[in-house]
Amino acid sequence: MQYVVVDIIDEAELLEEGHLQLVDKILQFASLKEAVDGGAEVSVSFVNDAEIQVLNQTYRGIDAPTDVLSFSMEELGEDEMEIALEGVPQMLGDIIISVDKVVAQAAEFGHSFERELGFLVLHGFLHLLGYDHMDKADEKVMFGRQDELLAEYGLKR
């Protein structure tokens, strides 16, 4: 059963079919576990370090590549009003991942490419659902949930 519609864009053109399936499966699993409304949509894009660095500079003011960026469609800006249309799927947002960072961090942490890929996809997805790690208390909640989901799914270090 599909809980969330996943649109995957591999701009880096480095992922294999099994990797794309992993992305979809972990998002379906997390959607079920987090009770996301069926039919919600999420976009996942895979880019290289140069592309994510431009996005990081543009949207966060940080002129360096990062591993994952999340852009939530659910977060309301100042003076924005929530709009919910009946019969229109909930758009959760966009997750952008640097494949270069997936490779480097898998090697750095001594685990598989698949584990790092799953970790970053899940991390970005939890951000779309409102989890954050701006302070120690929030970090404990988010990282704890992330570890629980990864372990239950079977992606261990």
Side-chain angles (χ1 to χ4, degrees):
M1 178 173 190
Q2 190 174 35
Y3 295 95
V4 65
V5 176
V6 180
D7 183 28
I8 300 174
I9 303 150
D10 182 12
E11 293 180 21
E13 297 181 348
L14 294 171
L15 299 178
E16 298 171 5
E17 185 59 33
H19 299 135
L20 302 177
Q21 290 173 3
L22 172 64
V23 169
D24 186 69
K25 286 179 182 175
I26 199 156
L27 288 171
Q28 299 306 329
F29 176 80
S31 295
L32 173 65
K33 295 296 181 176
E34 288 292 308
V36 173
D37 290 341
E41 296 181 14
V42 62
S43 170
V44 184
S45 297
F46 294 95
V47 298
N48 60 30
D49 272 354
E51 288 183 56
I52 209 162
Q53 181 169 344
V54 169
L55 294 169
N56 207 21
Q57 171 64 39
T58 302
Y59 294 101
R60 296 180 63 225
I62 300 172
D63 191 19
T66 189
D67 51 5
V68 59
L69 292 170
S70 297
F71 298 98
S72 175
M73 299 296 282
E74 298 289 296
E75 283 183 19
L76 296 177
E78 194 173 316
D79 297 327
E80 283 187 329
M81 192 170 65
E82 184 175 356
I83 299 172
L85 302 173
E86 195 171 315
V88 175
Q90 176 188 18
M91 185 62 191
L92 297 174
D94 302 311
I95 301 168
I96 301 163
I97 295 173
S98 167
V99 178
D100 295 333
K101 290 288 186 201
V102 177
V103 171
Q105 290 175 181
E108 178 183 342
F109 298 124
H111 54 239
S112 70
F113 177 89
E114 289 76 12
R115 198 283 180 183
E116 188 65 20
L117 178 66
F119 171 85
L120 292 175
V121 167
L122 181 60
H123 186 86
F125 187 64
L126 290 176
H127 275 302
L128 296 183
L129 298 181
Y131 287 85
D132 213 335
H133 48 87
M134 296 301 284
D135 61 44
K136 287 288 184 196
D138 288 345
E139 180 178 299
K140 185 176 180 180
V141 170
M142 181 176 183
F143 288 9
R145 185 62 174 147
Q146 193 170 269
D147 290 344
E148 287 172 17
L149 290 170
L150 286 169
E152 191 175 339
Y153 184 80
L155 275 178
K156 298 182 175 109
R157 287 185 173 216

